[in-house]
Amino acid sequence: MSLKRCVALPPDEFRTAVFGHSYLHTRAADLAADFTDLFSPQALEELLSGGLRTSSLRLVRDGVEGDVARGCVAESGDAPGAAPFPDTDGLRQALASGQTLIVRSLHRFHPPVRRFAHELAAELGHPVKVNAFVTPPGSQGVDLHFDVQDVLVLQIAGDKRWLLRTPPLPDPLPAHAWFDVPARRREEMRAAARPLADLVLRTGDSLYLPRGTMHSPMTRDTLSIHLTVAVSTITRHDLLGELVREAVDDEWMRVAVDTNGLMSDPRLARELLGKAGERLAALAADAAPEDVLWAVRKAAFREQTPEPVPILPVPKDVRPRGVHRLRAGVYFHTASVKDGIQLSVGNRRVRLPASVSPFLTALHRDQVADTAGLTAALGEDNARKVAAALVDIGLLLPPSAPWDATTSQEAVRPDGAPGRESDPDHS
C-alpha cells in the first residue's frame, strides 16, 4: 500500500487524524523501506538521457524561472515550436549555478511512480501528481509560500531544511494559487503566518503538509533530490460547482437579469439571490447523490492518466497468455437503464445486459476481474463479447500478448481502493 510506506501511522488513523489537519514528519527509521525504488539519482540520469523533452523540465532559483531549453538543438522533422530534447551539459551547468531542476509529471511516464500514484490516489480518493526536485547545495527554488494541494514530500537523496508556518488561509482552493495572488496580498499572508516548525528531511524521510501550510525549503551543504506528491483534494466547493452545472436545466436559472436595475435596488437583488439559493437547494435535495459524486470524481480525475494499454493487436493465429484484469487508475459508474445497465468509464459509455451487474459489483468488492463469473451468467460466447466491450471501453486490460516479456503489476479496484495483482508543480 502506497500510503503505508510513506507514514508510520496506520492508514485509517492518518486519513482521519492527520490528512487535511496537521503536518507530519516521519523519519526513515520509522518506515519499512526507503523510496529509491520509486526514484533515484540513477533514474534521474536515465530519464534525462533517454528521450525526455524539455516540456517535462523546469529550472528555477529564488522564484525566477531559468531557460531550460538554452543550448538545445531542435530535432529535424519536429513540428515548429516542439519542445527539444534537453542539453545535459546545460542542465549540469544550471545545477552548478544554483538552479533547481524540476522534473514534472513523473506519474505519467515513469512506471514505478505511476504505480505508486495510482495506488495512493485510490487509497486517498483524490487525484495525485508527482514531480521531482533536484536542488544543489546552498540553494532555494522558491521562497516562503503555500500550495493549494496537500503535499507528501519523499526525500530521495541528500537532505533539505524546511521552515513551516501556519496557514494564513485555511484550505485554499485553486483560485487562491499563491503566484496568482497580488504581491501585496502575498506579503500580508506571510506576515499573518506564525512559526510552526523548523526541521530537516534526510534521505528516506517523509513530510506531509496540508494545503495552505506555509513552507520554505532550502538545501544545506548537500545536493537534495525529493519527490513532491501533490494531492488535489475534492472539496465541498466542487460538489457545489456540479450542482450549479446541473442547474442549466432549470428554466428559471436561464432567464436574463437586469443588472442595471438590480444595482439600483439592493433589496430586489438580495431577493433574487435568495431565490437562486432556494432553487439550488431544491436541486440538491432532488439530485441522485451517486450521480453528482460520479460527475465530480470524473472531473477531478480527468488529468489522471490510467495505466497504458497495449497498442499492438494480438496475432489471430496466436492465443494470448494470462487473464483479463482491471486497469489501474480507472474509475467507473453504473446506472440502471431500460433492459440493462449503463457503464460509464470516464466520458465513454456502453450499455450492457442486466446480468452483468453482479460481475461489476464484484469488481468493486473483490478488486479482481473474475471473468468466470461472466461466463456463468452469460455463457461463453456472450461473456467473451462483454469482456471485449470492457476492454474497448478501457475498464479491463486484455491478456498479455505472446511477445510481451513483462506484464504490468498495476491493479486497482474501480472505486478507488488498491487491487491485488492478477498477473505473476510544488515545493
Side-chain angles (χ1 to χ4, degrees):
M1 295 174 65
S2 291
L3 182 56
K4 192 172 182 179
R5 67 174 299 174
C6 297
V7 297
L9 293 176
D12 286 344
E13 183 178 347
F14 175 83
R15 284 188 288 259
T16 57
V18 176
F19 188 62
H21 301 296
S22 63
Y23 82 93
L24 177 66
H25 177 202
T26 306
R27 292 176 172 80
D30 297 323
L31 297 173
D34 61 21
F35 308 115
T36 52
D37 61 313
L38 299 179
F39 199 65
S40 66
Q42 293 75 23
L44 172 68
E45 299 285 8
E46 290 173 2
L47 285 174
L48 293 177
S49 62
L52 206 62
R53 298 271 184 159
T54 55
S55 54
S56 295
L57 305 174
R58 287 177 59 200
L59 289 171
V60 64
R61 182 179 184 182
D62 298 328
V64 178
E65 292 276 344
D67 183 6
V68 74
R70 182 179 181 181
C72 296
V73 178
E75 185 77 4
S76 61
D78 276 353
F85 293 102
D87 172 26
T88 51
D89 288 315
L91 294 179
R92 181 175 59 183
Q93 293 170 9
L95 285 174
S97 70
Q99 296 187 71
T100 291
L101 172 66
I102 305 173
V103 185
R104 301 176 54 251
S105 302
L106 280 170
H107 58 283
R108 294 185 66 91
F109 56 82
H110 189 48
V113 170
R114 183 174 61 228
R115 289 191 287 270
F116 168 83
H118 283 157
E119 291 178 358
L120 187 63
E123 291 178 72
L124 295 176
H126 304 281
V128 168
K129 298 181 178 181
V130 184
N131 295 338
F133 284 72
V134 184
T135 307
S139 297
Q140 184 172 31
V142 184
D143 197 2
L144 187 68
H145 69 287
F146 66 70
D147 295 320
V148 295
Q149 302 90 4
D150 289 55
V151 168
L152 260 172
V153 179
L154 309 180
Q155 190 68 27
I156 302 298
D159 58 58
K160 202 165 196 177
R161 182 187 180 193
W162 290 74
L163 299 179
L164 307 183
R165 297 177 73 89
T166 57
L169 178 67
D171 298 324
L173 296 173
H176 302 120
W178 178 260
F179 294 103
D180 292 339
V181 175
R184 180 175 180 180
R185 176 57 179 152
R186 293 202 298 267
E187 289 306 314
E188 291 174 350
M189 288 194 288
R190 284 191 178 110
R194 296 290 176 259
L196 188 60
D198 182 348
L199 50 87
V200 175
L201 260 65
R202 294 179 170 82
T203 302
D205 285 6
S206 72
L207 174 64
Y208 165 73
L209 300 177
R211 57 193 165 110
T213 304
M214 299 288 286
H215 53 280
S216 176
M218 63 199 76
T219 54
R220 303 191 301 170
D221 56 358
T222 64
L223 179 140
S224 166
I225 300 177
H226 78 259
L227 297 181
T228 289
V229 182
V231 184
S232 299
T233 50
I234 300 171
T235 67
R236 294 169 181 167
H237 189 268
D238 295 316
L239 298 180
L240 177 61
E242 177 56 30
L243 290 175
V244 171
R245 279 187 287 273
E246 293 191 7
V248 297
D249 294 327
D250 184 336
E251 291 185 11
W252 183 90
M253 289 284 194
R254 300 201 300 267
V255 173
V257 296
D258 177 11
T259 55
N260 288 336
L262 294 174
M263 290 290 290
S264 62
D265 190 343
R267 180 189 60 80
L268 182 60
R270 186 170 298 280
E271 288 179 358
L272 182 61
L273 291 175
K275 182 65 173 178
E278 291 173 1
R279 296 187 75 89
L280 196 60
L283 174 64
D286 293 338
E290 62 274 14
D291 292 338
V292 173
L293 291 171
W294 165 246
V296 169
R297 169 167 280 192
K298 183 174 68 173
F301 281 85
R302 66 186 180 277
E303 295 182 7
Q304 194 84 8
T305 306
E307 177 182 5
V309 298
I311 64 170
L312 298 177
V314 177
K316 294 182 179 179
D317 58 340
V318 179
R319 185 178 182 85
R321 298 193 301 266
V323 297
H324 292 81
R325 65 175 180 81
L326 288 171
R327 186 181 178 194
V330 169
Y331 299 85
F332 69 83
H333 176 64
T334 58
S336 297
V337 294
K338 184 179 180 181
D339 300 327
I341 59 172
Q342 180 172 274
L343 170 68
S344 300
V345 179
N347 291 320
R348 305 178 71 183
R349 296 177 179 178
V350 64
R351 185 166 294 193
L352 299 169
S355 52
V356 179
S357 184
F359 169 76
L360 296 176
T361 300
L363 289 184
H364 279 283
R365 184 188 65 242
D366 299 333
Q367 310 173 19
V368 293
D370 181 10
T371 50
L374 276 180
T375 303
L378 305 174
E380 187 172 350
D381 289 343
N382 287 333
R384 188 180 298 111
K385 293 177 182 177
V386 169
L390 297 182
V391 169
D392 185 62
I393 200 174
L395 179 63
L396 299 182
L397 284 176
S400 57
W403 52 72
D404 184 14
T406 61
T407 55
S408 170
Q409 298 301 304
E410 295 170 287
V412 68
R413 64 181 290 172
D415 60 357
R420 296 191 295 269
E421 299 167 358
S422 56
D423 286 335
D425 293 18
H426 311 103
S427 298

